[in-house]
Amino acid sequence: MKISIIGGTDGLGKWLAKFLKSRGFEVIVTGRDIKKGKEVEKELGVRFLNNNVEAAKLGDIVIISVPINVTERVIKEVAPHVREGSLLMDVTSIKEIPSKAMEKYAKEGVTVIPSHPMFGPTAPSLERQVVILTPSEKHKKSEWFNKVYNFLKKEGARVYILKPEVHDKIMAVVQGLTHYSIISLASTLKELNVDIKESRKFASPVYELILSLIGRIIGQNPYLYADIQMFNPRIEKIHKTFINECIKIHELVKSKDREGFVKLMKEAAKHFGNEAKRGAYYSDKAIFALTREIEELKKNIGKEIAVKNLDSENIHIGTLKEVEDDYLTLKKNGKEVKLNILRTEVYYNVDEIKKKLFERKYFDISVLFNKDVNEKIIEELLKKLFDLEIIDIYELNDKKSVTFRLYGYSKEELREKERKFKEIIKNIGGSLRYEDRS
Ligand SMILES: O=C(O)C(=O)C[C@]1(C(=O)O)C=C[C@@H](O)C=C1
């Protein structure tokens, strides 16, 4: 099945291209920047077209993923070219404008399912992510709708179906108020000329979490955040309420109205109900996840671990030398590699990783023991130190010959294992017969 992503060379469009390609779909992406398009084509193994209309004609599914301010114009340009029987979707953060436009410009036989994935392009998968769909009654009954819904559910997404105007009303709070308050905090810290890095030294868990949220938002495309504020007519009222509350709290503090302040906070907590507790638990998980990760890392200093760099996707295997601040240092083939813990994934089951990454090599080694030795017990003991198995046993006069197969992932590793194995064998009364390397 062919999926055309209009605006698929950047942001969420690019994320979708990579994700859908990984799920076996044939993906076409479009974009204005030809150089970037060619790069994405190579990077993701998808096809790039510098022509929205052509891509729209080719797709069994056409997904519009362009900036909010041009969504309506792009829908007008491409929707009439989507083939009958095909599916037209968008992933815009607002829903009333694109839903109307797609219904208006798509041909009669085209199914329209407007959507809003509630996450940014750093999401690792669809697992637990919220996706909102705003189809009309007619399209909700279509075969395409079932397919999309089942696909999202199978991927672990939490799917909600809303009317476009209900979506925009909710988003005025979920995104509008949140972004507005967080961007205001960022701008306040700038106005106060706070040295962020320096201030973080003295951070409470709450301060660190808030700084992370601010960093997360202000590091993204500011045009997206401008449009989320400016294309939702319900935001005006939200801003006004927020400003009023800020002033109210300011006045309470200024007039040292302690009881007034407590009353306001208590009322807000009452309004939250059980959600206040949930918030405390959730943030505990988020705040202390890194602490736990660092504790676990420190326990493994001196041991072999595998670390995936989330930016390059390279996996480094080496001995953990040091853990300091946000960084870990690995010793790998005599060299040191320093990696940012915040951008890595650590695996302690190194053998599993090696099995996935490298070809398992082995060598066979035959050992003579006294006839009355129980080789099963020796195998059990040696298995605690080596990846091995017994592949042959036979009796020879008053001796027993046992052939072990030792596994490893590189010549160096096997050489080291061989040395250790021979030393142990000598000390448990065995003598070597011959060896055979794969
Ligand atoms: O990156 C994230 O985690 C986001 O939540 C991104 C975010 C948001 O900030 O609300 C940005 C735009 C989309 O409409 C949905 C989600």
mmCIF file with all atom_site columns, all heavy atoms in Angstrom, residues 105-123:
data_model
loop_
_atom_site.group_PDB
_atom_site.id
_atom_site.type_symbol
_atom_site.label_atom_id
_atom_site.label_alt_id
_atom_site.label_comp_id
_atom_site.label_asym_id
_atom_site.label_entity_id
_atom_site.label_seq_id
_atom_site.pdbx_PDB_ins_code
_atom_site.Cartn_x
_atom_site.Cartn_y
_atom_site.Cartn_z
_atom_site.occupancy
_atom_site.B_iso_or_equiv
_atom_site.pdbx_formal_charge
_atom_site.auth_seq_id
_atom_site.auth_comp_id
_atom_site.auth_asym_id
_atom_site.auth_atom_id
_atom_site.pdbx_PDB_model_num
ATOM 1   N N   . TYR A 1 105 ? -12.979 19.926 -0.359 1.00 0.00 ? 105 TYR A N   1
ATOM 2   C CA  . TYR A 1 105 ? -12.198 19.803 -1.596 1.00 0.00 ? 105 TYR A CA  1
ATOM 3   C C   . TYR A 1 105 ? -11.963 18.366 -2.071 1.00 0.00 ? 105 TYR A C   1
ATOM 4   O O   . TYR A 1 105 ? -11.525 18.161 -3.197 1.00 0.00 ? 105 TYR A O   1
ATOM 5   C CB  . TYR A 1 105 ? -10.847 20.520 -1.439 1.00 0.00 ? 105 TYR A CB  1
ATOM 6   C CG  . TYR A 1 105 ? -11.015 22.022 -1.268 1.00 0.00 ? 105 TYR A CG  1
ATOM 7   C CD1 . TYR A 1 105 ? -10.725 22.644 -0.064 1.00 0.00 ? 105 TYR A CD1 1
ATOM 8   C CD2 . TYR A 1 105 ? -11.491 22.804 -2.331 1.00 0.00 ? 105 TYR A CD2 1
ATOM 9   C CE1 . TYR A 1 105 ? -10.891 24.015 0.104  1.00 0.00 ? 105 TYR A CE1 1
ATOM 10  C CE2 . TYR A 1 105 ? -11.661 24.163 -2.180 1.00 0.00 ? 105 TYR A CE2 1
ATOM 11  C CZ  . TYR A 1 105 ? -11.362 24.774 -0.956 1.00 0.00 ? 105 TYR A CZ  1
ATOM 12  O OH  . TYR A 1 105 ? -11.540 26.126 -0.812 1.00 0.00 ? 105 TYR A OH  1
ATOM 13  N N   . ALA A 1 106 ? -12.219 17.352 -1.211 1.00 0.00 ? 106 ALA A N   1
ATOM 14  C CA  . ALA A 1 106 ? -11.976 15.969 -1.660 1.00 0.00 ? 106 ALA A CA  1
ATOM 15  C C   . ALA A 1 106 ? -13.142 15.489 -2.514 1.00 0.00 ? 106 ALA A C   1
ATOM 16  O O   . ALA A 1 106 ? -14.283 15.918 -2.320 1.00 0.00 ? 106 ALA A O   1
ATOM 17  C CB  . ALA A 1 106 ? -11.804 15.057 -0.452 1.00 0.00 ? 106 ALA A CB  1
ATOM 18  N N   . LYS A 1 107 ? -12.840 14.568 -3.452 1.00 0.00 ? 107 LYS A N   1
ATOM 19  C CA  . LYS A 1 107 ? -13.902 14.012 -4.309 1.00 0.00 ? 107 LYS A CA  1
ATOM 20  C C   . LYS A 1 107 ? -14.860 13.165 -3.464 1.00 0.00 ? 107 LYS A C   1
ATOM 21  O O   . LYS A 1 107 ? -14.492 12.682 -2.385 1.00 0.00 ? 107 LYS A O   1
ATOM 22  C CB  . LYS A 1 107 ? -13.269 13.081 -5.347 1.00 0.00 ? 107 LYS A CB  1
ATOM 23  C CG  . LYS A 1 107 ? -12.592 13.802 -6.478 1.00 0.00 ? 107 LYS A CG  1
ATOM 24  C CD  . LYS A 1 107 ? -12.060 12.754 -7.455 1.00 0.00 ? 107 LYS A CD  1
ATOM 25  C CE  . LYS A 1 107 ? -10.881 13.315 -8.204 1.00 0.00 ? 107 LYS A CE  1
ATOM 26  N NZ  . LYS A 1 107 ? -9.842  12.353 -8.481 1.00 0.00 ? 107 LYS A NZ  1
ATOM 27  N N   . GLU A 1 108 ? -16.024 12.908 -4.016 1.00 0.00 ? 108 GLU A N   1
ATOM 28  C CA  . GLU A 1 108 ? -17.084 12.176 -3.321 1.00 0.00 ? 108 GLU A CA  1
ATOM 29  C C   . GLU A 1 108 ? -16.621 10.813 -2.764 1.00 0.00 ? 108 GLU A C   1
ATOM 30  O O   . GLU A 1 108 ? -16.865 10.481 -1.621 1.00 0.00 ? 108 GLU A O   1
ATOM 31  C CB  . GLU A 1 108 ? -18.252 12.013 -4.331 1.00 0.00 ? 108 GLU A CB  1
ATOM 32  C CG  . GLU A 1 108 ? -19.488 11.318 -3.818 1.00 0.00 ? 108 GLU A CG  1
ATOM 33  C CD  . GLU A 1 108 ? -20.101 11.978 -2.569 1.00 0.00 ? 108 GLU A CD  1
ATOM 34  O OE1 . GLU A 1 108 ? -19.974 13.212 -2.434 1.00 0.00 ? 108 GLU A OE1 1
ATOM 35  O OE2 . GLU A 1 108 ? -20.669 11.229 -1.731 1.00 0.00 ? 108 GLU A OE2 1
ATOM 36  N N   . GLY A 1 109 ? -15.893 10.060 -3.578 1.00 0.00 ? 109 GLY A N   1
ATOM 37  C CA  . GLY A 1 109 ? -15.509 8.688  -3.150 1.00 0.00 ? 109 GLY A CA  1
ATOM 38  C C   . GLY A 1 109 ? -14.264 8.603  -2.269 1.00 0.00 ? 109 GLY A C   1
ATOM 39  O O   . GLY A 1 109 ? -13.751 7.520  -2.027 1.00 0.00 ? 109 GLY A O   1
ATOM 40  N N   . VAL A 1 110 ? -13.797 9.756  -1.794 1.00 0.00 ? 110 VAL A N   1
ATOM 41  C CA  . VAL A 1 110 ? -12.587 9.744  -0.951 1.00 0.00 ? 110 VAL A CA  1
ATOM 42  C C   . VAL A 1 110 ? -13.016 9.754  0.525  1.00 0.00 ? 110 VAL A C   1
ATOM 43  O O   . VAL A 1 110 ? -13.913 10.511 0.899  1.00 0.00 ? 110 VAL A O   1
ATOM 44  C CB  . VAL A 1 110 ? -11.707 10.984 -1.260 1.00 0.00 ? 110 VAL A CB  1
ATOM 45  C CG1 . VAL A 1 110 ? -10.559 11.124 -0.258 1.00 0.00 ? 110 VAL A CG1 1
ATOM 46  C CG2 . VAL A 1 110 ? -11.170 10.920 -2.688 1.00 0.00 ? 110 VAL A CG2 1
ATOM 47  N N   . THR A 1 111 ? -12.396 8.910  1.326  1.00 0.00 ? 111 THR A N   1
ATOM 48  C CA  . THR A 1 111 ? -12.706 8.916  2.775  1.00 0.00 ? 111 THR A CA  1
ATOM 49  C C   . THR A 1 111 ? -11.812 9.953  3.454  1.00 0.00 ? 111 THR A C   1
ATOM 50  O O   . THR A 1 111 ? -10.611 10.017 3.170  1.00 0.00 ? 111 THR A O   1
ATOM 51  C CB  . THR A 1 111 ? -12.461 7.528  3.394  1.00 0.00 ? 111 THR A CB  1
ATOM 52  O OG1 . THR A 1 111 ? -13.272 6.596  2.688  1.00 0.00 ? 111 THR A OG1 1
ATOM 53  C CG2 . THR A 1 111 ? -12.814 7.500  4.872  1.00 0.00 ? 111 THR A CG2 1
ATOM 54  N N   . VAL A 1 112 ? -12.405 10.745 4.344  1.00 0.00 ? 112 VAL A N   1
ATOM 55  C CA  . VAL A 1 112 ? -11.645 11.797 5.034  1.00 0.00 ? 112 VAL A CA  1
ATOM 56  C C   . VAL A 1 112 ? -11.582 11.484 6.539  1.00 0.00 ? 112 VAL A C   1
ATOM 57  O O   . VAL A 1 112 ? -12.616 11.355 7.191  1.00 0.00 ? 112 VAL A O   1
ATOM 58  C CB  . VAL A 1 112 ? -12.308 13.181 4.801  1.00 0.00 ? 112 VAL A CB  1
ATOM 59  C CG1 . VAL A 1 112 ? -11.644 14.255 5.658  1.00 0.00 ? 112 VAL A CG1 1
ATOM 60  C CG2 . VAL A 1 112 ? -12.251 13.565 3.323  1.00 0.00 ? 112 VAL A CG2 1
ATOM 61  N N   . ILE A 1 113 ? -10.383 11.334 7.055  1.00 0.00 ? 113 ILE A N   1
ATOM 62  C CA  . ILE A 1 113 ? -10.238 11.135 8.511  1.00 0.00 ? 113 ILE A CA  1
ATOM 63  C C   . ILE A 1 113 ? -9.212  12.128 9.058  1.00 0.00 ? 113 ILE A C   1
ATOM 64  O O   . ILE A 1 113 ? -8.004  11.879 9.038  1.00 0.00 ? 113 ILE A O   1
ATOM 65  C CB  . ILE A 1 113 ? -9.817  9.681  8.859  1.00 0.00 ? 113 ILE A CB  1
ATOM 66  C CG1 . ILE A 1 113 ? -10.816 8.689  8.230  1.00 0.00 ? 113 ILE A CG1 1
ATOM 67  C CG2 . ILE A 1 113 ? -9.769  9.491  10.388 1.00 0.00 ? 113 ILE A CG2 1
ATOM 68  C CD1 . ILE A 1 113 ? -10.526 7.241  8.526  1.00 0.00 ? 113 ILE A CD1 1
ATOM 69  N N   . PRO A 1 114 ? -9.685  13.278 9.557  1.00 0.00 ? 114 PRO A N   1
ATOM 70  C CA  . PRO A 1 114 ? -8.757  14.246 10.142 1.00 0.00 ? 114 PRO A CA  1
ATOM 71  C C   . PRO A 1 114 ? -8.204  13.672 11.453 1.00 0.00 ? 114 PRO A C   1
ATOM 72  O O   . PRO A 1 114 ? -8.918  12.976 12.177 1.00 0.00 ? 114 PRO A O   1
ATOM 73  C CB  . PRO A 1 114 ? -9.646  15.461 10.423 1.00 0.00 ? 114 PRO A CB  1
ATOM 74  C CG  . PRO A 1 114 ? -10.919 15.213 9.657  1.00 0.00 ? 114 PRO A CG  1
ATOM 75  C CD  . PRO A 1 114 ? -11.075 13.745 9.578  1.00 0.00 ? 114 PRO A CD  1
ATOM 76  N N   . SER A 1 115 ? -6.930  13.944 11.735 1.00 0.00 ? 115 SER A N   1
ATOM 77  C CA  . SER A 1 115 ? -6.360  13.392 12.968 1.00 0.00 ? 115 SER A CA  1
ATOM 78  C C   . SER A 1 115 ? -5.442  14.384 13.660 1.00 0.00 ? 115 SER A C   1
ATOM 79  O O   . SER A 1 115 ? -4.944  15.325 13.029 1.00 0.00 ? 115 SER A O   1
ATOM 80  C CB  . SER A 1 115 ? -5.596  12.104 12.659 1.00 0.00 ? 115 SER A CB  1
ATOM 81  O OG  . SER A 1 115 ? -4.300  12.393 12.205 1.00 0.00 ? 115 SER A OG  1
ATOM 82  N N   . HIS A 1 116 ? -5.226  14.153 14.930 1.00 0.00 ? 116 HIS A N   1
ATOM 83  C CA  . HIS A 1 116 ? -4.258  14.947 15.677 1.00 0.00 ? 116 HIS A CA  1
ATOM 84  C C   . HIS A 1 116 ? -3.464  14.023 16.590 1.00 0.00 ? 116 HIS A C   1
ATOM 85  O O   . HIS A 1 116 ? -3.937  13.645 17.663 1.00 0.00 ? 116 HIS A O   1
ATOM 86  C CB  . HIS A 1 116 ? -4.958  16.040 16.496 1.00 0.00 ? 116 HIS A CB  1
ATOM 87  C CG  . HIS A 1 116 ? -3.989  16.918 17.224 1.00 0.00 ? 116 HIS A CG  1
ATOM 88  N ND1 . HIS A 1 116 ? -4.362  17.794 18.217 1.00 0.00 ? 116 HIS A ND1 1
ATOM 89  C CD2 . HIS A 1 116 ? -2.642  17.080 17.106 1.00 0.00 ? 116 HIS A CD2 1
ATOM 90  C CE1 . HIS A 1 116 ? -3.303  18.446 18.668 1.00 0.00 ? 116 HIS A CE1 1
ATOM 91  N NE2 . HIS A 1 116 ? -2.233  18.012 18.013 1.00 0.00 ? 116 HIS A NE2 1
ATOM 92  N N   . PRO A 1 117 ? -2.254  13.652 16.149 1.00 0.00 ? 117 PRO A N   1
ATOM 93  C CA  . PRO A 1 117 ? -1.406  12.861 17.040 1.00 0.00 ? 117 PRO A CA  1
ATOM 94  C C   . PRO A 1 117 ? -0.901  13.798 18.138 1.00 0.00 ? 117 PRO A C   1
ATOM 95  O O   . PRO A 1 117 ? -0.284  14.821 17.849 1.00 0.00 ? 117 PRO A O   1
ATOM 96  C CB  . PRO A 1 117 ? -0.250  12.401 16.138 1.00 0.00 ? 117 PRO A CB  1
ATOM 97  C CG  . PRO A 1 117 ? -0.686  12.726 14.734 1.00 0.00 ? 117 PRO A CG  1
ATOM 98  C CD  . PRO A 1 117 ? -1.624  13.886 14.846 1.00 0.00 ? 117 PRO A CD  1
ATOM 99  N N   . MET A 1 118 ? -1.161  13.412 19.400 1.00 0.00 ? 118 MET A N   1
ATOM 100 C CA  . MET A 1 118 ? -0.821  14.309 20.517 1.00 0.00 ? 118 MET A CA  1
ATOM 101 C C   . MET A 1 118 ? 0.617   14.106 20.995 1.00 0.00 ? 118 MET A C   1
ATOM 102 O O   . MET A 1 118 ? 0.861   13.933 22.184 1.00 0.00 ? 118 MET A O   1
ATOM 103 C CB  . MET A 1 118 ? -1.793  14.060 21.683 1.00 0.00 ? 118 MET A CB  1
ATOM 104 C CG  . MET A 1 118 ? -3.208  14.502 21.413 1.00 0.00 ? 118 MET A CG  1
ATOM 105 S SD  . MET A 1 118 ? -3.316  16.243 21.042 1.00 0.00 ? 118 MET A SD  1
ATOM 106 C CE  . MET A 1 118 ? -2.631  16.958 22.500 1.00 0.00 ? 118 MET A CE  1
ATOM 107 N N   . PHE A 1 119 ? 1.558   14.100 20.054 1.00 0.00 ? 119 PHE A N   1
ATOM 108 C CA  . PHE A 1 119 ? 2.959   13.952 20.446 1.00 0.00 ? 119 PHE A CA  1
ATOM 109 C C   . PHE A 1 119 ? 3.843   14.588 19.378 1.00 0.00 ? 119 PHE A C   1
ATOM 110 O O   . PHE A 1 119 ? 3.384   14.890 18.276 1.00 0.00 ? 119 PHE A O   1
ATOM 111 C CB  . PHE A 1 119 ? 3.333   12.466 20.626 1.00 0.00 ? 119 PHE A CB  1
ATOM 112 C CG  . PHE A 1 119 ? 2.995   11.600 19.441 1.00 0.00 ? 119 PHE A CG  1
ATOM 113 C CD1 . PHE A 1 119 ? 3.889   11.449 18.391 1.00 0.00 ? 119 PHE A CD1 1
ATOM 114 C CD2 . PHE A 1 119 ? 1.774   10.944 19.366 1.00 0.00 ? 119 PHE A CD2 1
ATOM 115 C CE1 . PHE A 1 119 ? 3.584   10.653 17.295 1.00 0.00 ? 119 PHE A CE1 1
ATOM 116 C CE2 . PHE A 1 119 ? 1.460   10.153 18.269 1.00 0.00 ? 119 PHE A CE2 1
ATOM 117 C CZ  . PHE A 1 119 ? 2.363   10.002 17.230 1.00 0.00 ? 119 PHE A CZ  1
ATOM 118 N N   . GLY A 1 120 ? 5.092   14.787 19.734 1.00 0.00 ? 120 GLY A N   1
ATOM 119 C CA  . GLY A 1 120 ? 6.042   15.376 18.797 1.00 0.00 ? 120 GLY A CA  1
ATOM 120 C C   . GLY A 1 120 ? 6.921   14.303 18.181 1.00 0.00 ? 120 GLY A C   1
ATOM 121 O O   . GLY A 1 120 ? 6.793   13.118 18.491 1.00 0.00 ? 120 GLY A O   1
ATOM 122 N N   . PRO A 1 121 ? 7.852   14.735 17.319 1.00 0.00 ? 121 PRO A N   1
ATOM 123 C CA  . PRO A 1 121 ? 8.659   13.760 16.564 1.00 0.00 ? 121 PRO A CA  1
ATOM 124 C C   . PRO A 1 121 ? 9.727   13.019 17.363 1.00 0.00 ? 121 PRO A C   1
ATOM 125 O O   . PRO A 1 121 ? 10.516  12.291 16.777 1.00 0.00 ? 121 PRO A O   1
ATOM 126 C CB  . PRO A 1 121 ? 9.303   14.612 15.465 1.00 0.00 ? 121 PRO A CB  1
ATOM 127 C CG  . PRO A 1 121 ? 9.132   16.016 15.875 1.00 0.00 ? 121 PRO A CG  1
ATOM 128 C CD  . PRO A 1 121 ? 8.048   16.110 16.890 1.00 0.00 ? 121 PRO A CD  1
ATOM 129 N N   . THR A 1 122 ? 9.742   13.178 18.711 1.00 0.00 ? 122 THR A N   1
ATOM 130 C CA  . THR A 1 122 ? 10.736  12.401 19.467 1.00 0.00 ? 122 THR A CA  1
ATOM 131 C C   . THR A 1 122 ? 10.107  11.157 20.100 1.00 0.00 ? 122 THR A C   1
ATOM 132 O O   . THR A 1 122 ? 10.793  10.407 20.782 1.00 0.00 ? 122 THR A O   1
ATOM 133 C CB  . THR A 1 122 ? 11.400  13.257 20.579 1.00 0.00 ? 122 THR A CB  1
ATOM 134 O OG1 . THR A 1 122 ? 10.373  13.732 21.443 1.00 0.00 ? 122 THR A OG1 1
ATOM 135 C CG2 . THR A 1 122 ? 12.188  14.418 20.010 1.00 0.00 ? 122 THR A CG2 1
ATOM 136 N N   . ALA A 1 123 ? 8.811   10.954 19.861 1.00 0.00 ? 123 ALA A N   1
ATOM 137 C CA  . ALA A 1 123 ? 8.152   9.779  20.467 1.00 0.00 ? 123 ALA A CA  1
ATOM 138 C C   . ALA A 1 123 ? 8.795   8.488  19.939 1.00 0.00 ? 123 ALA A C   1
ATOM 139 O O   . ALA A 1 123 ? 9.034   8.370  18.741 1.00 0.00 ? 123 ALA A O   1
ATOM 140 C CB  . ALA A 1 123 ? 6.669   9.795  20.126 1.00 0.00 ? 123 ALA A CB  1
#
